[in-house]
């Protein structure tokens, strides 16, 4: 490929990347990968990368070795793979550190009304003493986790969500066990809204929360699937 | 599709999408330094003494709010414009922490929990490790990836056009290392079980190196790592969390390839070795003496 063809190709790749960054952000899909606070920054980056593409075809500077090929990798992956959030498979690998994303301090939940608490707020309450909340009404949304490694009885499954602080590289899971007679009817990654009552088991000496569900309703995956503390 | 591949893709794109704006800012700053900073002025302002130059480099980040993705191209540009190498090295290592954004995020995260002590330890130890490391690295920088900027513009070109051309060359030069580093970090996260460090951190001697290794693997942007560190503080010793917050912004899987591209393999290997030894030793001593 001649130098001019390489420059034109590079311009196309840069402009495609700029297009992907702006399109994903405009469509709300960037929220599947990064914290929303960075979205404005991504728009700015897309504009600059587009300008890079515009000036690079007429530049006479030598192209850094392999730069276009390396740049094609994220572009091709972004085009080839439909946008998707982290799901249950990633959570299973971090079961040993589930809820570790909750800080040592106790930030206040948004409200004292437990019906409005999300899984992160329930995890916050669990780090101190969940026992006083036994009998409280709980309504949580999340994706289903069905996995033998959880060691759950047949009438229980886990509902979980990821908490994002920066990007998917630091996403940590929060989850709660759900008691529901027909627990196996839901496949992993199915999003559900669970309504029920909080129970606290302490058979091992450690209080373990469990929502005894009165209803489990399948829902669409939310536009912003990660919880942002 | 295989769930593991999906997980890799989501984490890889997450790191890339989050890091590429900061790399772009770094490239624009780098090009600005190259075009608008007079080398004679720069040489006159920066001390020639290696230690003082490193100290100045460690502190100059207060005026350049860049994280690790942006600090490397900017540091390279400083050196190319005539700044002493220790100045550039210390800037590359310290600027991800010693900058206004990270100082605020660290304060917000920790002051209410640990008081100011933890914040000062993070700042002080980062500066100390960066300055000592930069002081003892080679003065000659081999830069295998540096494109020749001499041809990139003509005198009659509009300054903004010249700036964009320089920035695009710098950006292209570094983005391949970012792509490689992001892929490596994502692969390690996906294929190495996530709970391994929990077992290691039970041992007070292994906790510090384990948390440093975790910081390298997670490759979190320094602008937010304080909040991750805060969450870790619940289960992990404070000196090990300090090691995570000092070492991670300096060395991680996405910044290592960028260091190699900017400074060459020889400098990078010594840089990693020195920062590792210094951070681990300091954090173990701090832990043993109960200072955090």
């Amino acid at each position: 490929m001649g130098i001019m063809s390489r420059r034109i190709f590079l311009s196309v790749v840069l402009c495609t990347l700029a297009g992907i960054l702006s399109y994903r952000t405009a469509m709300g899909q960037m929220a599947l990968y990064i914290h929303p606070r960075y979205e404005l920054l991504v728009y700015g980056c897309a504009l600059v990368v587009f300008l890079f593409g515009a000036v690079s075809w007429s530049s006479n500077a030598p192209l850094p070795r392999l730069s276009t090929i390396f740049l094609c990798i994220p572009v091709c992956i972004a085009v080839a793979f439909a946008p998707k959030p982290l799901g249950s498979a990633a959570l299973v690998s971090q079961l040993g550190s589930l809820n570790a994303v909750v800080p040592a301090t106790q930030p206040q939940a948004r409200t004292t009304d437990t019906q409005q608490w999300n899984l992160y707020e329930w995890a916050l309450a669990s780090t101190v003493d969940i026992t006083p909340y036994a009998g409280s009404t709980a309504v949580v949304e999340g994706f289903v986790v069905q996995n033998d490694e959880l060691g759950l009885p047949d009438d229980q499954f886990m509902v979980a969500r990821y908490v994002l602080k920066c990007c998917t590289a630091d996403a940590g899971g929060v989850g709660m066990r759900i008691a529901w007679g027909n627990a196996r009817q839901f496949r992993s990654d199915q999003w559900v809204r669970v309504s029920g009552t909080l129970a606290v088991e302490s058979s091992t000496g450690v209080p373990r929360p469990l929502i005894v569900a009165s209803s489990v309703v399948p829902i669409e995956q939310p536009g912003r699937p990660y919880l942002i503390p | 599709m295989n769930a593991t591949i999906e997980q890799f893709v989501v984490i890889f794109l997450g790191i890339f999408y989050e890091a590429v704006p900061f790399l772009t800012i770094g490239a624009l700053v780098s090009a600005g330094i190259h075009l608008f900073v007079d080398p004679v002025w720069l040489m006159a302002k920066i001390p020639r003494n290696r230690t003082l130059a490193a100290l100045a480099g460690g502190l100059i980040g207060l005026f350049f709010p860049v994280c690790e993705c942006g600090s490397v191209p900017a540091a390279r540009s400083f050196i190319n414009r005539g700044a002493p190498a220790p100045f550039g090295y210390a800037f590359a290592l310290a600027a991800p922490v010693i900058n206004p954004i990270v100082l605020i995020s660290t304060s917000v995260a920790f002051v209410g929990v640990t008081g100011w002590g933890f914040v000062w330890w993070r700042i002080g130890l980062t500066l100390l490790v960066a300055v000592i490391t930069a002081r003892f690295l080679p003065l000659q920088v081999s830069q295998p990836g540096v494109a020749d900027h001499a041809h990139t513009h003509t005198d009659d070109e509009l300054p903004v056009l010249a700036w964009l051309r320089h920035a695009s060359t710098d950006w292209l030069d570094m983005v391949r290392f970012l792509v490689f580093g992001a892929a490596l970090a994502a692969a390690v996260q996906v294929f190495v079980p996530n709970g391994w460090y929990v077992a290691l951190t039970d041992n007070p001697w292994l906790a510090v190196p384990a948390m440093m290794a975790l910081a390298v693997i997670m490759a979190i942007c320094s602008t937010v790592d304080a909040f991750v560190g805060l969450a870790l503080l619940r289960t992990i010793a404070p000196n090990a969390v300090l090691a995570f917050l000092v070492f991670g912004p300096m060395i991680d899987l996405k910044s290592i390839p960028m260091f190699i591209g900017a400074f060459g393999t020889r400098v990078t290997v010594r840089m990693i070795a020195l920062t590792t030894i210094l951070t681990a030793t300091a954090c173990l001593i701090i832990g043993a003496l109960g200072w955090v």
Side-chain angles (χ1 to χ4, degrees):
Chain A
M1 195 186 284
I3 183 72
M4 198 57 199
S5 309
R6 285 171 59 200
R7 292 213 164 275
I8 291 170
F9 181 61
L10 174 63
S11 287
V12 170
V13 174
L14 285 166
C15 293
T16 308
L17 177 62
I20 289 169
L21 293 173
S22 345
Y23 179 79
R24 291 264 189 265
T25 312
M27 299 304 289
Q29 294 164 350
M30 202 52 87
L32 305 180
Y33 302 98
I34 60 173
H35 192 293
R37 81 163 78 89
Y38 294 117
E39 288 181 357
L40 198 59
L41 209 53
V42 174
Y43 273 127
C45 174
L47 176 65
V48 176
V49 170
F50 177 78
L51 292 174
F52 285 170
V55 299
S56 66
W57 72 272
S58 60
S59 172
N60 59 355
L63 284 176
R65 199 156 47 100
L66 300 176
S67 53
T68 311
I69 293 171
F70 269 95
L71 200 53
C72 283
I73 295 171
V75 170
C76 291
I77 288 177
V79 170
F81 290 84
K84 210 174 170 185
L86 286 171
S88 61
L91 195 78
V92 169
S93 69
Q94 53 170 271
L95 283 178
S97 54
L98 196 66
N99 294 350
V101 70
V102 175
T105 49
Q106 297 307 311
Q108 292 292 313
R110 292 164 299 161
T111 167
T112 52
D113 180 6
T114 58
Q115 287 190 62
Q116 295 182 40
W117 283 9
N118 59 33
L119 286 167
Y120 182 74
E121 286 162 313
W122 280 112
L124 278 176
S126 305
T127 58
V128 186
D129 182 12
I130 193 74
T131 315
Y133 295 100
S136 302
T137 304
V139 181
V140 295
E141 293 180 353
F143 58 84
V144 172
V145 186
Q146 301 271 21
N147 193 287
D148 292 341
E149 288 186 36
L150 291 168
L152 297 179
D154 286 345
D155 62 346
Q156 290 183 16
F157 65 90
M158 178 174 274
V159 65
R161 284 183 86 160
Y162 286 97
V163 177
L164 203 71
K165 290 180 175 160
C166 178
C167 68
T168 44
D170 66 62
V174 287
M176 282 183 91
R177 294 175 303 141
I178 309 296
W180 178 247
N182 198 4
R184 295 289 174 261
Q185 78 178 93
F186 300 106
R187 59 176 173 74
S188 278
D189 293 320
Q190 165 71 57
W191 279 78
V192 291
R193 179 182 296 114
V194 177
S195 305
T197 307
L198 188 85
V200 180
E201 292 180 341
S202 52
S203 53
T204 57
V206 180
R208 296 176 66 211
L210 166 80
I211 296 175
V212 180
S214 54
S215 78
V216 182
V217 183
I219 57 171
E220 289 293 312
Q221 175 188 297
R224 293 191 184 277
Y226 306 125
L227 294 172
I228 308 292
Chain B
M1 197 202 323
N2 186 314
T4 309
I5 300 293
E6 279 183 355
Q7 189 185 345
F8 170 83
V9 166
V10 176
I11 294 177
F12 168 72
L13 288 178
I15 296 173
F16 182 77
Y17 288 149
E18 191 271 334
V20 79
F22 291 99
L23 177 69
T24 307
I25 292 170
L28 292 170
V29 170
S30 165
I33 294 167
H34 190 89
L35 284 176
F36 307 121
V37 175
D38 179 3
V40 177
W41 178 86
L42 193 65
M43 299 266 281
K45 292 289 176 192
I46 298 173
R48 307 317 292 176
N49 174 286
R50 290 173 74 157
T51 308
L52 291 178
L55 185 61
L59 290 171
I60 199 77
L62 289 169
F63 306 99
F64 292 93
V66 289
C67 64
E68 58 269 39
C69 299
S71 70
V72 180
R76 189 180 66 175
S77 207
F78 273 129
I79 295 173
N80 283 348
R81 297 305 279 170
F87 179 90
Y89 299 143
F91 176 78
L93 290 170
V97 170
I98 313 286
N99 78 63
I101 294 170
V102 176
L103 296 185
I104 290 169
S105 69
T106 307
S107 307
V108 168
F110 283 98
V111 168
V113 186
T114 63
W116 282 97
F118 206 89
V119 179
W120 289 121
W121 271 116
R122 185 182 195 196
I123 297 166
L125 197 55
T126 299
L127 190 60
L128 186 71
V129 171
V131 169
I132 295 176
T133 301
R135 166 66 181 78
F136 291 102
L137 287 176
L139 285 172
Q140 297 303 315
V141 181
S142 62
Q143 295 172 301
V146 179
D148 182 358
H149 286 204
H151 311 130
T152 54
H153 69 104
T154 53
D155 289 340
D156 56 351
E157 193 170 46
L158 286 171
V160 69
L161 211 54
W163 186 41
L164 275 173
R165 283 196 206 287
H166 271 285
S168 72
T169 309
D170 268 349
W171 190 88
L172 282 168
D173 201 24
M174 298 310 291
V175 76
R176 55 198 165 142
F177 299 108
L178 173 65
V179 170
F180 179 72
L184 193 62
V188 173
Q189 280 210 25
V190 170
F191 296 111
V192 176
N194 209 342
W196 60 270
Y197 68 91
V198 176
L200 287 176
T201 49
D202 287 341
N203 181 314
W205 291 102
L206 291 179
V208 166
M211 292 311 294
M212 288 167 65
L214 183 69
V216 171
I217 290 168
M218 287 183 78
I220 309 174
C221 180
S222 61
T223 53
V224 295
D225 64 353
F227 299 101
V228 177
L230 184 63
L232 294 169
L233 206 56
R234 189 159 57 87
T235 48
I236 291 164
N239 65 320
V241 175
L242 181 64
F244 176 87
L245 292 175
V246 169
F247 193 65
M250 293 188 189
I251 309 290
D252 66 38
L253 283 180
K254 74 178 182 317
S255 66
I256 290 170
M258 295 171 78
F259 279 135
I260 293 172
F263 306 133
T265 308
R266 191 169 67 102
V267 169
T268 303
V269 168
R270 289 178 67 170
M271 185 183 271
I272 293 169
L274 277 168
T275 48
T276 304
I277 293 165
L278 290 168
T279 309
T281 307
C283 289
L284 285 171
I285 292 171
I286 288 167
L289 297 175
W291 285 348
V292 289

